[in-house]
Amino acid sequence: MLRTHTCGELRLDNVGDEVILTGWVQRLRDKGGMLWIDLRDRYGITQLTLEEGITAPALLDQARNLGREYVVRVIGKVVERYSRNEKIPTGDIEIFPHKIEVLNASKLPPFLIEDETDGGDDLRMKYRYLDLRRNTVRHNLELRHRMMRETRSFLDSHYFIEVETPVLIKSTPEGARDFVVPSRMNPGEFYALPQSPQTFKQLLMVSGFDRYYQIVKCFRDEDLRADRQPEFTQIDCEMSFVKQEDILNAFEAFIAHLFEKIKGIHLGKLPRLTYADAMRYYGSDKPDTRFDMRFVELNPLVKDKGFKVFDDAELVVGINARGAAYYTRKQLDELTDFVKRPQIGATGLVYARVNEDGTIKSSVDKFYTAEDLQEWASAFGAQPGDLLLILAGQKDKTRKALNELRLEMGERLGLRDKNVFSPLWVIDFPLLEWDEDSKRFHAMHHPFTSPKPEDIELIDDRPGDIRANAYDMVINGVEVGGGSIRIHDRRLQEQMFRLLGFSHAEAEKQFGFLMSAFEYGAPPHGGIAFGFDRLCSLFGGSDSIRDFIAFPKNNSGRDVMIDAPSTISGEQLDELHIRMKNVPHS
Amino acid sequence: MLRTHTCGELRLDNVGDEVILTGWVQRLRDKGGMLWIDLRDRYGITQLTLEEGITAPALLDQARNLGREYVVRVIGKVVERYSRNEKIPTGDIEIFPHKIEVLNASKLPPFLIEDETDGGDDLRMKYRYLDLRRNTVRHNLELRHRMMRETRSFLDSHYFIEVETPVLIKSTPEGARDFVVPSRMNPGEFYALPQSPQTFKQLLMVSGFDRYYQIVKCFRDEDLRADRQPEFTQIDCEMSFVKQEDILNAFEAFIAHLFEKIKGIHLGKLPRLTYADAMRYYGSDKPDTRFDMRFVELNPLVKDKGFKVFDDAELVVGINARGAAYYTRKQLDELTDFVKRPQIGATGLVYARVNEDGTIKSSVDKFYTAEDLQEWASAFGAQPGDLLLILAGQKDKTRKALNELRLEMGERLGLRDKNVFSPLWVIDFPLLEWDEDSKRFHAMHHPFTSPKPEDIELIDDRPGDIRANAYDMVINGVEVGGGSIRIHDRRLQEQMFRLLGFSHAEAEKQFGFLMSAFEYGAPPHGGIAFGFDRLCSLFGGSDSIRDFIAFPKNNSGRDVMIDAPSTISGEQLDELHIRMKNVPHS
């Protein structure tokens, strides 16, 4: 090794040692007679001290000319530091160098390599290799590595076996859009990159592997929203001979392990909420339960009092923003504007403020008596100082809008602390959801999800009411994992494909291998997959998954550092038997 | 869980327990009054015993109708076995069932689910999910998982950090052919799948990550030889602030760890062989050193005795097949045919047999005296009973041919025992190799490999003689890993690209990001990558990597189980802005 120690290693015990360090020049302070250099590597920072009269003049001169981010190799003696730096583990010592070798020079970096940098997003992405030098970004990737290790450690010790499934598979248009790969050896044919290893892990269950996992890259060619990536990482798991309860217990233990080992937080038993209740009380299948503020439905209390908006509404529903009665007219107007934004789509906002003296002031005082309003307050369990916020309209839309308002109020009231974690299970999802555009049912999870046995009789008449053995793990309003008990019976799987509008031939072409496998002794099985990027960002206290991916892509799916995607040669196109459409050859 | 125990778990201690097992019907033996069922799961086999007069008649009847590979759930009592089966860990007990529930029936499998199966390769690949049920195949994947765990355990404990690098990257035609992925969002542009994360791991070194690893899928669109896969797995590693010696030591410790933990074998210090010596003594840069049989060069001994073949040859070189003097004329003819096969390309084979009385009989007796032949024998250190096999011709070709003959003789003489492991380092590879077709130099490893500093002066006049700081780890004639110290200086990297025939613009377009990164304080670094599939097959004592991949592809790059690649819809092609060339839309 070019060094004897790292920059995070030396302590008082080493005083007097002759050492060799390597690293980057983080900072250089030149006070005339004294020169200090902070030398940085992955492990920490060590101070080099040079002093006129002690350090050889040539060396001092050389050191003065070092630039930020130069890589150097320093030979010197460890000495006790006169004024200690309590903030860093090496703060008790410093190095008196007697030789400095420049291993590589550096141009001036385009932004500061500091925790707080002056580089904008685009610049930092282009020079991602410099951005990765910053402590904050490095710590994120170190966290990711620790989370991987703890994930594997837990699953390995619970008899899960990690099996790699293929990346070059078959395109199955159901679900999101596939990335495809033209096959040179099979002209006219394409591989697809997996959106998940779903069918392969089910085949492994048919094979008797019993407990499988994989930390695996998956791919979706979707229009990228702010925090989506075309390639992402899943913790993918499957178990045989289980019921839903077994999976919930197993992965509740898994998440508890992660919280224990990574955050030092002891999780109790996870609450469970049915999908129906999640929608009723939070207007979302991924409620942020760090704060209560449950929906209260007001239909019986508000109808037939002459307020047309409420009378016409399918649902009148509100939340109690505790202690927010102090909200000014301006703030209430902001909230009204907020819910009327097109993405949220409410037509207006009704509020009722519970004054300190217990009287209530609302925006609909002309329709409701003081007694009416007291009834509302009591339905909300409201206390003096609380603010009731009420929306009305079509049920599903209103719930969704109130969910947004609830989250906004949670944010404004400081109830969404990144250091508080509130995980829960949402269970009993519907099997199907109706799609207005295509006028047919889609699978809410995927076509392999098993309906609840007691609901199967609804399959012909009320398929929309069938509940699935499907579950999501939600933490702080984020769906971190989801899964289901799978169908393991060929006939039921065929029935499911029919329900989803597959012709027999389509089902057979795309998933014939799986249905065929079900005929050779497929065991009951189920599983779950966790979004690993998301889980890391949650544990890291960040909203952005990009911060936890070494080399992320931007919103157009570009890697601006390496400049990919890019054109390829006509020769490559020829070999792959494809041509560009309306795009000239490069 | 649907079971209380696995099929590998019950022992004498459990006698009297009421248990529930789940698994597959491996075998059913019906002796009239008695019926035995071997119930199998991933963990083992447990015997169920049913007996007329004890078992309820209906249950006995039900059991008789179970077929092979049915999945069942059995409730019963553990009893001590009358005649023990020493071969299985559960052989002391058996189960008297009182309830058997068929969880899923099975059609008759297309081949025997036994260690020795009657299924051919194609059939087993089509029904890979059934093939994976066989103990041998399952054990291979279990070995693979253990090897992954031990790899991570070693590297984690040596401060390597696992970082995931992107799968959707940029096409760089240097090296093998890329798989490419058309970009929907960037019309006319393509991603490429990585042949290795080479540039990304180097960027991580520039970022200061210091020690990186990843067990990662890589992709090469090559014409598939018998044992190549289009997607394969690498253990990819890189370190900063190292010299070649540091990497050799670090990964020698790594491989020793694997042998210790997986095979219980203690490896000593690994021998090192220069590339030049490997070629000279074995005719191969991946010599199988389980057996000696080194090449002996005979030029000074054989020239100018009137034997034109030897006189005209650039090199006359042979091996001593110890104890093979008993080889018959027929066997020697076989060997001659072997070396004359077009893949091997020798023009003939000269032999000399050392008889028990010390006299020598050769195929060229008319040119060489008894004394000449004794000189040969002494050059080979030959003893009575040995057989000398000699080839002649152009140096490189002859060495290659003799390498094949050496391996063949090793095989025939039983010197290539799969349970013996002989790892070594081959070092000092040439930096460049001349390509006759394109009349230019290619990088022997890749363009990022660093020349040996002392050889750089040869760059203008004798570039072919420059040695690289490059090394391979070879075990039993298989290159299991290879790597190099990398260039970390922009100017040297530019020089390298020029030498390889890149124009300035090409180099900039493809690798500008890397050369740019070198200008911001790139540390000295180097690394290695191990072929994980190959390493697993070696540890598993198999020649085929397919046996160690859950879902391999065949020689045409097809997954015959899921039938991929396959056609995609015209709509998909349109979205991707591509058309098929001379292939009608599907």
Side-chain angles (χ1 to χ4, degrees), chain A residues 1 24 42 133 144 159 164 167 170 189-191 231 233 246 520-522 557-558 562 566 574 581, chain B residues 1 24 42 133 144 159 164 167 170 189-191 231 233 246 520-521 557-558 562 566 574 581:
Chain A
M1 297 291 297
W24 286 262
R42 167 186 157 197
R133 282 190 192 161
R144 187 176 176 112
Y159 300 101
E164 292 159 82
V167 175
K170 183 154 91 169
E189 299 191 328
F190 291 76
Y191 301 99
E231 54 179 298
T233 303
D246 302 312
Y520 290 99
R558 292 201 77 80
I562 63 170
S566 63
D574 284 346
K581 195 166 173 171
Chain B
M1 299 290 297
W24 286 262
R42 167 185 155 195
R133 282 190 191 161
R144 187 177 176 113
Y159 300 102
E164 293 160 82
V167 176
K170 183 154 91 168
E189 298 191 327
F190 292 77
Y191 301 98
E231 52 180 298
T233 303
D246 302 311
Y520 290 99
R558 292 201 76 81
I562 64 170
S566 62
D574 284 345
K581 195 164 174 171

Side-chain angles (χ1 to χ4, degrees), chain B residues 429-449:
Chain B
F429 276 81
L431 183 68
L432 304 165
E433 57 186 346
W434 181 254
D435 181 57
E436 267 306 320
D437 292 341
S438 57
K439 297 283 176 207
R440 62 180 184 89
F441 282 110
H442 284 269
M444 191 141 186
H445 273 71
H446 53 53
F448 315 108
T449 300

Side-chain angles (χ1 to χ4, degrees), chain B residues 147-190:
Chain B
M147 298 216 12
M148 268 197 194
R149 287 173 59 176
E150 290 303 337
T151 296
R152 292 200 161 96
S153 151
F154 179 89
L155 293 172
D156 288 345
S157 70
H158 286 76
Y159 300 102
F160 285 81
I161 170 169
E162 185 163 24
V163 179
E164 293 160 82
T165 53
V167 176
L168 296 171
I169 65 166
K170 183 154 91 168
S171 186
T172 54
E174 182 71 6
R177 219 182 269 108
D178 283 324
F179 282 107
V180 300
V181 180
S183 167
R184 182 178 55 85
M185 289 204 278
N186 302 276
E189 298 191 327
F190 292 77

Side-chain angles (χ1 to χ4, degrees), chain A residues 301-336:
Chain A
L301 299 185
V302 300
K303 295 278 188 180
D304 304 322
K305 305 279 178 160
F307 183 41
K308 193 167 174 345
V309 173
F310 281 5
D311 284 347
D312 291 351
E314 184 183 2
L315 179 67
V316 179
V317 59
I319 50 174
N320 178 3
R322 291 201 187 278
Y326 63 84
Y327 258 46
T328 61
R329 182 76 228 174
K330 181 159 170 283
Q331 286 172 303
L332 289 166
D333 286 348
E334 274 170 23
L335 292 182
T336 306

Side-chain angles (χ1 to χ4, degrees), chain B residues 147-295:
Chain B
M147 298 216 12
M148 268 197 194
R149 287 173 59 176
E150 290 303 337
T151 296
R152 292 200 161 96
S153 151
F154 179 89
L155 293 172
D156 288 345
S157 70
H158 286 76
Y159 300 102
F160 285 81
I161 170 169
E162 185 163 24
V163 179
E164 293 160 82
T165 53
V167 176
L168 296 171
I169 65 166
K170 183 154 91 168
S171 186
T172 54
E174 182 71 6
R177 219 182 269 108
D178 283 324
F179 282 107
V180 300
V181 180
S183 167
R184 182 178 55 85
M185 289 204 278
N186 302 276
E189 298 191 327
F190 292 77
Y191 301 98
L193 305 183
Q195 296 181 32
S196 93
Q198 183 61 35
T199 52
F200 289 98
K201 69 175 172 174
Q202 290 193 243
L203 290 176
L204 286 171
M205 295 305 106
V206 176
S207 299
F209 274 86
D210 204 85
R211 294 182 174 206
Y212 142 95
Y213 83 98
Q214 191 182 186
I215 301 183
V216 60
K217 275 279 175 76
C218 300
F219 306 86
R220 278 179 208 171
D221 186 10
E222 289 178 334
D223 294 323
L224 301 173
R225 294 199 308 250
D227 210 30
R228 280 251 182 106
Q229 288 281 315
E231 52 180 298
F232 54 97
T233 303
Q234 256 182 218
I235 304 171
D236 193 49
C237 307
E238 197 80 3
M239 299 172 82
S240 290
F241 304 117
V242 288
K243 297 192 165 174
Q244 172 170 308
E245 188 63 25
D246 302 311
I247 305 228
L248 298 188
N249 289 334
F251 290 93
E252 196 161 315
F254 163 66
I255 204 76
H257 174 88
L258 283 188
F259 271 103
E260 183 85 43
K261 295 290 182 177
I262 304 286
K263 308 291 291 182
I265 290 172
H266 176 74
L267 287 192
K269 182 90 188 138
L270 259 57
R272 296 180 189 185
L273 200 61
T274 63
Y275 174 85
D277 280 350
M279 297 313 288
R280 174 185 301 268
Y281 295 122
Y282 301 100
S284 167
D285 58 2
K286 40 179 197 277
D288 184 346
T289 51
R290 278 174 295 186
F291 61 108
D292 193 34
M293 213 186 278
R294 287 188 169 212
F295 292 8

Side-chain angles (χ1 to χ4, degrees), chain A residues 170-171 187-190 509, chain B residues 563 565-569 572 583-584 586:
Chain A
K170 183 154 91 169
S171 185
E189 299 191 328
F190 291 76
K509 183 183 178 216
Chain B
D563 192 26
S566 62
T567 55
I568 61 175
S569 70
Q572 277 177 291
V583 179
S586 65

Side-chain angles (χ1 to χ4, degrees), chain B residues 500-562:
Chain B
L500 296 171
F502 283 66
S503 73
H504 179 76
E506 281 165 358
E508 204 51 49
K509 183 184 180 212
Q510 287 176 35
F511 300 109
F513 62 96
L514 185 66
M515 290 192 289
S516 172
F518 287 170
E519 296 183 299
Y520 290 99
H525 61 285
I528 193 167
F530 290 89
F532 187 60
D533 309 294
R534 177 66 60 211
L535 206 54
C536 290
S537 73
L538 190 81
F539 273 67
S542 166
D543 287 330
S544 164
I545 62 171
R546 266 185 220 176
D547 297 345
F548 294 79
I549 295 174
F551 300 102
K553 295 191 172 53
N554 74 10
N555 279 353
S556 321
R558 292 201 76 81
D559 181 328
V560 294
M561 178 186 71
I562 64 170

